[in-house]
Amino acid sequence: MARASGGWTDGRLTAGSFLKPHKAARALFHPAWIPDSLDPSIERLKRVRVVAGVVASLGVYTFVQGGFDFTELLENTMTASAVLLVLTPLTVGVMLLVWRRTGTVRQLRAPLLASLKLLLLFIGCVVALVLLTQTSDSSAGVLLSLATAGALLWMAVFVVWGAVRVSGNFFGTAAVHRSLPALLATVTSWLMAVPDLVTGDLHGLSLTMGVVFVLGAPVTVTTIALLETSRLKRRYGIRLGTHPASLPPAPGAPPRPPAGLPHVPPQGNPYSHPHPPATGGHPYAPGPRHPYAPGPRHPYAPPPQPPYPPRRHPYGG
């Protein structure tokens, strides 16, 4: 499933990329080994799912509760990161148990490790942003230096753009299974919403607005995820419960050789002539002849006579 070449950034991360944090985030949080989308319609669905996922992870109710609060936004991001650190490996582990019926875990070791690295990289960047913010706030009453303010702004844009990227590819889990990002987005959005519903914590909103904002994001994410997985199943035969190694090859990808069998070169007709006529001879030379066909005749030879001439009538003239 993963790309065979290109490494992590595929040369997209250069020294000039660090001058633009969104380019650096795109190179680091959407690595080259993540497979491309199979269909433009699925890609559009994924973008809508990203928007709903951001709503579920960060909570738009922070904008409704009397304005934007950057500190609360960071707290929600840290909470979401902690949930992802536990929930993502747990969900993938459950799917590995399901896939063991039709394949082995060893076949997925490389993309699983790559996805885990991407998850840890994102969480590490979120923690670094929170620590940088706390360090800046600790110097209350002192004018922040331009270097600190610039680093904080760069890091904030980098993490926000990275969050958008990992919400789309969900830590590169599409390299493991094409339907896995949709499943993880659904499980995560519901897990972020259910505690608020169980505890009745509507964050100061009315009952109607609280239910809309708490349930709106997971319901939207689930609906889009179901559309995405159904299209993958209907158009490409990709089923979530099937081991990735047992799925049909993606369009344009070379067919996979049978497992456990060496490569066999294409075979010709087993009943053909064992020694075909050599090419490169005279262009007007006669082709192969039947072994029992009569040989060539001289152009001026008399016509062939029958071996037994007809008998004449004894009383004929």
Side-chain angles (χ1 to χ4, degrees), residues 38-62:
L38 294 176
D39 193 302
S41 61
I42 295 178
E43 186 64 26
R44 288 192 294 268
L45 286 175
K46 190 180 298 183
R47 291 176 182 176
V48 178
R49 176 168 58 80
V50 167
V51 176
V54 172
V55 169
S57 301
L58 304 180
V60 283
Y61 47 79
T62 56

Side-chain angles (χ1 to χ4, degrees), residues 21-161:
H22 67 282
K23 288 189 175 181
R26 181 172 55 189
L28 287 176
F29 294 113
H30 192 85
W33 46 263
I34 296 179
D36 297 327
S37 180
L38 294 176
D39 193 302
S41 61
I42 295 178
E43 186 64 26
R44 288 192 294 268
L45 286 175
K46 190 180 298 183
R47 291 176 182 176
V48 178
R49 176 168 58 80
V50 167
V51 176
V54 172
V55 169
S57 301
L58 304 180
V60 283
Y61 47 79
T62 56
F63 294 91
V64 183
Q65 288 181 270
F68 175 76
D69 189 352
F70 185 72
T71 303
E72 186 175 357
L73 179 64
L74 287 180
E75 292 176 357
N76 292 336
T77 305
M78 283 293 297
T79 303
S81 300
V83 171
L84 290 173
L85 184 60
V86 177
L87 184 62
T88 302
L90 182 61
T91 306
V92 174
V94 172
M95 292 308 303
L96 289 177
L97 294 177
V98 175
W99 293 335
R100 286 187 62 183
R101 297 177 301 177
T102 54
T104 62
V105 179
R106 181 172 309 204
Q107 296 171 282
L108 308 175
R109 180 179 300 175
L112 285 173
L113 290 177
S115 299
L116 179 60
K117 292 177 183 178
L118 185 56
L119 172 63
L120 295 178
L121 174 63
F122 176 72
I123 294 177
C125 291
V126 172
V127 173
L129 175 60
V130 173
L131 293 178
L132 182 60
T133 304
Q134 292 177 351
T135 302
S136 302
D137 293 340
S138 62
S139 56
V142 180
L143 184 63
L144 294 177
S145 63
L146 292 178
T148 305
L152 181 60
L153 178 61
W154 189 97
M155 197 67 183
V157 176
F158 177 76
V159 170
V160 170
W161 201 266

Side-chain angles (χ1 to χ4, degrees), residues 123-214:
I123 294 177
C125 291
V126 172
V127 173
L129 175 60
V130 173
L131 293 178
L132 182 60
T133 304
Q134 292 177 351
T135 302
S136 302
D137 293 340
S138 62
S139 56
V142 180
L143 184 63
L144 294 177
S145 63
L146 292 178
T148 305
L152 181 60
L153 178 61
W154 189 97
M155 197 67 183
V157 176
F158 177 76
V159 170
V160 170
W161 201 266
V164 173
R165 286 292 173 178
V166 297
S167 297
N169 57 54
F170 225 95
F171 308 104
T173 49
V176 182
H177 194 290
R178 293 278 186 175
S179 301
L180 196 54
L183 173 66
L184 289 171
T186 302
V187 174
T188 303
S189 61
W190 277 107
L191 191 62
M192 295 291 293
V194 167
D196 292 338
L197 294 176
V198 173
T199 60
D201 184 11
L202 301 180
H203 305 275
L205 299 174
S206 64
L207 178 62
T208 303
M209 292 296 295
V211 171
V212 168
F213 277 104
V214 172

